Amino acid sequence: MKNSILQKYNVPGPRYTSYPTVPYWDEKDFTYQIWIDTLKKSFAESNAKEGLSLYIHLPFCESMCTFCGCNKRITKNHDVENPYIEAVLKEWALYCDILDEKPIIKEIHLGGGTPTFFSTKNLEDLISGIFCYAEKAKDHEFSFEGHPNNTTRAHLQKLYDLGFRRVSFGVQDYSEKVQKAIHRNQPFHNVAKVTFWAREIGYTSIGHDLIFGLPFQGVDDVIDTIEKTHSLQPDRLAFYSYAHVPWIKGNGQRGFNDEDIPKDEEKRQLYEVGKDLLYENDYYEIGMDHFALKTDSLFDSFKTGKLHRNFMGYSSSKTQLMIGLGVSSISDSWYSFAQNVKGLEEYYALLESDKLPIFRGHLLTAEDLIIRKHILNIMCQFETSWEDPSNYIPEIPEILLQLKEMKNDGLVVIKTNGILVTDAGKAFIRNICMAFDLRLKRKTPETQLFSMTI
């Protein structure tokens, strides 16, 4: 890939877990009652038809990984488990009191933090407590993030017994030098052990998360990591670009120097080498940063146009309503977003007063809803269309003018009423989404809010 193109498009940009992105939410126009009203509306429209998704944030970790920008609490004190589980169940009970009928849950994802920080007994109490107020959809899909160093066979067996069939393990990179820099000492045999256990128990989708662009990482490290990964045959892979955001307080990304991090052409080479190896090993690119074997449900959803993306990541199917439980979790009613407070003590205090622990949100405008569809289409299908007049907005000519340069660079094909992302353009998917991001265009950030796109 030409260095000039890399330099042209290597700019700060959102990862588009939502549109509008969180820094562009209209918080001043959002109220607690707006969230309740849109929650009820979405629930009434979708519960019987498709059910809802539940994201549960479990924030505790025993040690700090210096590549991580997630909301977490570092502690070795496991006495924190019970109070937190009780608080999450209290939050869920408050939601169920608001809803008019019993929720049907299609998806659950346990994220973190480190979900396997919690004991099997507490995880069982959490899931059992959730279903005191709800029922499972027939085609439910439950997943969790497992740390290879502390996920036990008992963890895997218990969650399997509770209906979980998908697990993702954070691998990042197998180089000892890289692992030392990111404070993530994780031998290959730990990953192999939990992967084999999950397969023996019966998990139908096992994922590994890899990262390129980490400090001290070179091409040989990426090759070694992917070859080791291939030997374990995970069903799906995330191959993320390391997001260097040292300005975020408490994210632990100050443990190495900027000059230790691969940049520009050097970083992009790590991706290209890794992607080529994944292709050689029969992994198919099914979305931004994501690859899957043909036998995995994500590949099938991609081929049939059912792939969806939300705050939990890529999903095999869409639910209109997603409720986030736990500190910092974000909920999505499709018509609005709502985020929980980030501090553990404030989270507990609000629940003690019988109030949902929400501190900010955004009510989507009619324009937001259309742009959101286009960005989701690009990230999930590598194309979008405004042939349907309901998907057209007056700014389309302006968007096409910006995309014309990307067309000249071979990144997109512009059709009569839509665009198609080329194979070369898949590496620049965030930049293509940015062409549709009207809020970003209307108000350029005065300080750096986002990591670099490449």
Side-chain angles (χ1 to χ4, degrees):
M1 193 171 290
K2 292 181 180 178
N3 195 41
S4 59
I5 291 186
L6 287 170
Q7 291 173 342
K8 181 192 297 187
Y9 294 108
N10 191 25
V11 297
R15 297 211 164 197
Y16 293 110
T17 49
S18 71
Y19 182 82
T21 55
V22 175
Y24 286 91
W25 286 2
D26 287 331
E27 296 180 38
K28 66 182 185 302
D29 296 327
F30 179 83
T31 65
Y32 185 88
Q33 192 57 49
I34 282 174
W35 169 242
I36 299 302
D37 291 344
T38 61
L39 168 75
K40 287 183 172 181
K41 178 182 179 182
S42 188
F43 182 75
E45 291 174 348
S46 64
N47 188 48
K49 181 176 63 176
E50 61 188 23
L52 60 86
S53 296
L54 207 56
Y55 171 75
I56 306 175
H57 190 71
L58 302 173
F60 303 110
C61 298
E62 288 195 341
S63 64
M64 171 76 82
C65 299
T66 58
F67 65 89
C68 177
C70 299
N71 181 281
K72 66 268 181 185
R73 180 71 65 94
I74 308 301
T75 180
K76 292 184 184 294
N77 176 18
H78 286 261
D79 290 341
V80 299
E81 294 185 35
N82 281 325
Y84 190 78
I85 296 295
E86 290 172 5
V88 168
L89 291 176
K90 172 71 178 289
E91 184 184 1
W92 176 237
L94 290 175
Y95 268 112
C96 292
D97 285 343
I98 293 167
L99 303 175
D100 295 329
E101 58 185 77
K102 202 170 194 178
I104 299 169
I105 299 179
K106 184 171 186 180
E107 291 184 314
I108 294 178
H109 183 70
L110 307 181
T114 306
T116 46
F117 172 97
F118 288 76
S119 70
T120 56
K121 172 65 166 58
N122 282 325
L123 290 173
E124 181 177 22
D125 288 346
L126 171 63
I127 302 304
S128 299
I130 293 293
F131 286 104
C132 285
Y133 306 97
E135 60 184 79
K136 296 177 186 177
K138 290 181 180 178
D139 56 346
H140 63 271
E141 183 174 289
F142 299 166
S143 59
F144 73 98
E145 298 166 13
H147 193 313
N149 286 357
N150 69 8
T151 299
T152 64
R153 186 172 185 121
H155 277 121
L156 290 161
Q157 187 64 61
K158 177 57 67 178
L159 288 167
Y160 182 88
D161 293 342
L162 291 167
F164 286 72
R165 296 293 181 270
R166 184 160 69 81
V167 57
S168 60
F169 296 115
V171 173
Q172 325 325 334
D173 187 280
Y174 285 115
S175 160
E176 290 184 11
K177 186 175 184 179
V178 172
Q179 288 187 5
K180 183 178 179 181
I182 64 176
H183 200 224
R184 178 88 172 200
N185 180 24
Q186 186 172 274
F188 172 71
H189 65 80
N190 285 7
V191 181
K193 180 173 61 178
V194 292
T195 300
F196 291 143
W197 279 344
R199 190 163 286 126
E200 287 171 1
I201 288 168
Y203 281 79
T204 54
S205 183
I206 300 167
H208 287 187
D209 294 346
L210 311 178
I211 298 179
F212 67 92
L214 291 167
F216 304 111
Q217 191 181 48
V219 168
D220 289 344
D221 299 319
V222 170
I223 292 172
D224 179 64
T225 294
I226 290 181
E227 286 180 346
K228 283 184 169 72
T229 299
H230 178 239
S231 73
L232 300 179
Q233 284 286 295
D235 302 281
R236 61 179 72 172
L237 286 166
F239 191 39
Y240 294 116
S241 167
Y242 165 59
H244 188 55
V245 286
W247 57 87
I248 296 179
K249 183 180 178 181
N251 70 358
Q253 293 188 4
R254 295 175 178 84
F256 40 82
N257 298 320
D258 280 359
E259 58 266 25
D260 300 327
I261 301 167
K263 295 179 181 67
D264 301 328
E265 178 63 28
E266 182 185 5
K267 182 179 181 182
R268 202 68 218 171
Q269 186 184 13
L270 300 180
Y271 174 76
E272 295 297 336
V273 168
K275 184 178 72 170
D276 288 346
L277 267 178
L278 291 174
Y279 285 167
E280 288 175 22
N281 293 325
D282 297 326
Y283 287 95
Y284 292 82
E285 196 166 11
I286 52 86
M288 184 172 65
D289 310 321
H290 282 69
F291 299 78
L293 296 175
K294 277 187 174 181
T295 51
D296 190 73
S297 60
L298 272 191
F299 178 82
D300 184 63
S301 295
F302 170 69
K303 297 301 287 185
T304 57
K306 295 179 180 178
L307 191 67
H308 182 57
R309 180 176 166 88
N310 55 28
F311 289 104
M312 300 191 296
Y314 280 101
S315 170
S316 298
S317 59
K318 172 182 171 291
T319 63
Q320 182 171 304
L321 176 60
M322 190 199 85
I323 294 176
L325 304 177
V327 289
S328 77
S329 289
I330 298 177
S331 299
D332 176 4
S333 71
W334 192 257
Y335 304 108
S336 71
F337 302 125
Q339 184 171 21
N340 284 353
V341 294
K342 296 182 178 182
L344 201 56
E345 291 73 21
E346 187 180 4
Y347 175 72
Y348 288 153
L350 286 167
L351 289 168
E352 282 290 324
S353 64
D354 293 329
K355 186 171 183 180
L356 293 177
I358 291 163
F359 85 105
R360 65 175 173 182
H362 174 83
L363 178 66
L364 279 81
T365 65
E367 178 189 272
D368 288 340
L369 289 167
I370 295 172
I371 295 296
R372 182 187 194 185
K373 284 182 185 178
H374 288 305
I375 287 176
L376 277 172
N377 288 343
I378 292 165
M379 291 191 299
C380 296
Q381 300 169 23
F382 296 127
E383 62 180 321
T384 194
S385 167
W386 44 88
E387 188 170 0
D388 183 337
S390 66
N391 292 329
Y392 186 86
I393 52 173
E395 290 80 6
I396 288 292
E398 174 193 335
I399 291 169
L400 287 174
L401 193 62
Q402 184 174 347
L403 288 169
K404 187 176 180 181
E405 189 169 3
M406 295 185 186
K407 172 182 176 292
N408 294 338
D409 288 330
L411 308 184
V412 297
V413 174
I414 297 177
K415 302 188 289 187
T416 305
N417 289 302
I419 66 160
L420 175 70
V421 180
T422 65
D423 284 342
K426 290 175 183 177
F428 300 91
I429 204 79
R430 292 168 68 188
N431 302 82
I432 296 167
C433 290
M434 286 167 67
F436 287 81
D437 191 336
L438 298 182
R439 287 183 178 267
L440 181 64
K441 290 179 183 179
R442 290 166 184 158
K443 187 180 179 182
T444 304
E446 295 178 1
T447 59
Q448 189 166 353
L449 297 175
F450 308 111
S451 60
M452 304 300 281
T453 54
I454 297 170

